[in-house]
Amino acid sequence: KKCNNQEQVASSWSKLATIYTESNKPIEAAEALNNSVIALVTLNDSTLLSAGYNDLADSYLKSKDYLKALDYYSRAITIRKAQKDSSNWALSVYALAGAYQNKTEYAKAIQAYDEALKIQRKLKDKLNAAYSLSNLGLLAQMADNDYKKANIYLSEAIKLATELKDDYLLGYCYLRMKGLTRAQGNFKLSEDYINKTLVLYKKEKRPKDVAYVLAEMGNDASYVYGDNVKALQLIDQAQVISDTLTDIQLKAYLLGVRS
């Protein structure tokens, strides 16, 4: 600060925000990122500023401050669109869609995912297009009860994930398809999809995701099949994984499922 080196000031605040995030301190992380953005505004570097806005929006979204998150995503989008930075522009629009989805403003989420998908297709970005399609499929099911449209979106997402040979992405898509087939009453196919997801997440060595899938399988065992013994066995498996991690949200979620 004494040297008036705003770029280094912004960088230091950003690194401090990372430490707060990793220490599960979202409010302090947001404050640090806000200070980083203030330094970047002084520096007047639009490229760095758009990244700062996006990071700050991510932080506010984690603490569920939706109004601020939406505001800063919009600021990042304005800069990236003006710079014709299509790749990062699409990422910010996708993040904006996710914020609307978390806020349960599904119509706005669908509109934003559609916009992101158009950019991703122009860029031939199959990876991120698959994520957009997967979420559009989920929203077609949840918001509109349009199972046919949801199946079209999810089938295309699965096709892209298969072409990319991305096992995590494929598992993510299968999990969405699991929800769709269950909603349609096809429990056998639904179970096949979630079992495929579990195998892929284990292969990818993603313990947190494996724990969430096991917990969801536990829910299904209880609510679909009425087998609470099997449900608790699955939750116990998830708990063993959770005990090796430091993820507070996962621990809370498992307690809720167990109760």
Side-chain angles (χ1 to χ4, degrees):
K1 285 183 177 179
K2 286 182 180 179
C3 297
N4 197 29
N5 189 337
Q6 296 300 326
E7 186 172 353
Q8 285 301 319
V9 170
S11 176
S12 295
W13 277 118
S14 179
K15 290 174 182 177
L16 186 59
T18 300
I19 294 172
Y20 282 135
T21 299
E22 292 174 353
S23 304
N24 292 313
K25 296 180 179 179
I27 295 174
E28 290 88 344
E31 290 175 353
L33 283 170
N34 189 55
N35 287 329
S36 177
V37 165
I38 290 170
L40 291 172
V41 169
T42 304
L43 190 63
N44 198 28
D45 185 320
S46 58
T47 301
L48 289 175
L49 185 58
S50 67
Y53 282 152
N54 208 80
D55 290 343
L56 186 54
D58 288 343
S59 183
Y60 280 129
L61 184 59
K62 286 178 182 176
S63 59
K64 299 194 183 299
D65 191 336
Y66 295 118
L67 290 178
K68 288 182 179 177
L70 293 169
D71 176 35
Y72 282 105
Y73 280 134
S74 296
R75 295 189 195 193
I77 289 167
T78 298
I79 294 173
R80 289 171 169 180
K81 186 176 181 179
Q83 292 179 329
K84 297 182 180 179
D85 181 0
S86 297
S87 181
N88 284 317
W89 172 20
L91 289 174
S92 292
V93 175
Y94 179 87
L96 179 71
Y100 279 127
Q101 185 174 341
N102 286 341
K103 198 171 181 281
T104 67
E105 292 188 19
Y106 295 139
K108 291 181 179 179
I110 291 169
Q111 183 179 357
Y113 279 129
D114 275 331
E115 182 181 349
L117 183 60
K118 286 177 183 176
I119 304 169
Q120 290 156 355
R121 280 176 167 160
K122 284 182 180 179
L123 294 170
K124 297 181 180 179
D125 181 358
K126 292 183 179 181
L127 177 68
N128 287 306
Y131 281 110
S132 293
L133 286 162
S134 186
N135 283 295
L136 282 166
L138 177 66
L139 290 172
Q141 174 195 334
M142 289 175 55
D144 301 326
N145 292 318
D146 191 338
Y147 296 149
K148 183 178 180 181
K149 190 174 184 180
N151 186 69
I152 292 170
Y153 282 132
L154 291 172
S155 295
E156 186 178 350
I158 289 171
K159 181 182 177 183
L160 290 175
T162 304
E163 288 175 4
L164 292 167
K165 297 180 181 179
D166 188 320
D167 286 337
Y168 175 74
L169 173 58
L170 188 57
Y172 182 88
C173 296
Y174 281 156
L175 205 55
R176 291 285 193 267
M177 190 65 90
K178 174 261 175 189
L180 176 62
T181 51
R182 179 182 168 182
Q184 293 173 293
N186 193 336
F187 300 129
K188 176 63 174 67
L189 188 55
S190 174
E191 190 174 340
D192 288 344
Y193 276 121
I194 198 167
N195 281 327
K196 287 180 180 179
T197 300
L198 184 63
V199 169
L200 290 170
Y201 283 176
K202 284 182 176 179
K203 180 183 175 183
E204 287 291 294
K205 297 180 180 179
R206 291 178 174 267
K208 179 180 173 181
D209 294 304
V210 169
Y212 274 112
V213 170
L214 286 167
E216 187 163 341
M217 292 171 76
N219 267 328
D220 289 347
S222 178
Y223 290 109
V224 177
Y225 301 106
D227 190 344
N228 288 322
V229 173
K230 183 178 179 181
L232 287 170
Q233 289 173 346
L234 289 162
I235 295 166
D236 285 341
Q237 291 178 44
Q239 188 68 56
V240 170
I241 296 171
S242 177
D243 290 342
T244 68
L245 305 173
T246 57
D247 192 291
I248 295 173
Q249 285 188 326
L250 174 59
K251 292 180 187 298
Y253 177 74
L254 291 178
L255 285 170
V257 174
R258 185 180 294 279
S259 71

